[in-house]
Amino acid sequence: MKPALDACELCGRTGVETTEHHLTPREMGGSHLPTADLCRPCHKQIHALYSNEELAARLSTLEELRADGQIARYLRWIRKQAPGSLPRTRKSRALREKG
Ligand SMILES: [Zn+2]
Ligand SMILES: [Zn+2]
């Protein structure tokens, strides 16, 4: 399957590979509810920050996601990243100090 280049509905970057995000997670009954096309970093970030329960309860629309403090901060950062670059996860301080 060849990934199509598209626009991310959350960060708004174009020319990115998108994946389908169930705004209400399937596990929470969202199989037939709206989905959003998100770039990989955005999709990963959402699921890294929030559980399916939290997403279903208070972050089930793009507006709610954008209004969330932690996601808003992430969005300000990702918008400066080039579409093709997959951002690296920073090492924790403990790992860096080990050298
Ligand atoms: Zn994105
Ligand atoms: Zn998802």
Side-chain angles (χ1 to χ4, degrees), residues 21-35 46-47 50-60:
H21 169 63
H22 284 257
L23 289 162
T24 298
R26 274 166 297 191
E27 292 81 355
M28 304 297 289
S31 302
H32 303 294
L33 294 172
T35 60
I46 289 174
H47 288 289
Y50 301 108
S51 65
N52 285 339
E53 286 76 11
E54 263 187 295
L55 292 173
R58 65 178 188 91
L59 297 164
S60 62

Side-chain angles (χ1 to χ4, degrees), residues 8 11 13 39 42:
C8 172
C11 67
R13 296 186 308 155
C39 68
C42 283

Side-chain angles (χ1 to χ4, degrees), residues 23-88:
L23 289 162
T24 298
R26 274 166 297 191
E27 292 81 355
M28 304 297 289
S31 302
H32 303 294
L33 294 172
T35 60
D37 293 329
L38 304 182
C39 68
R40 287 173 184 279
C42 283
H43 204 170
K44 246 173 95 177
Q45 187 68 25
I46 289 174
H47 288 289
L49 287 172
Y50 301 108
S51 65
N52 285 339
E53 286 76 11
E54 263 187 295
L55 292 173
R58 65 178 188 91
L59 297 164
S60 62
T61 66
L62 285 167
E63 288 70 28
E64 285 168 340
L65 286 168
R66 285 196 200 99
D68 179 82
Q70 291 190 81
I71 293 187
R73 202 177 323 140
Y74 156 80
L75 286 175
R76 279 199 295 274
W77 171 78
I78 193 69
R79 283 181 180 135
K80 296 182 216 148
Q81 312 304 311
S85 76
L86 284 182
R88 275 191 223 152

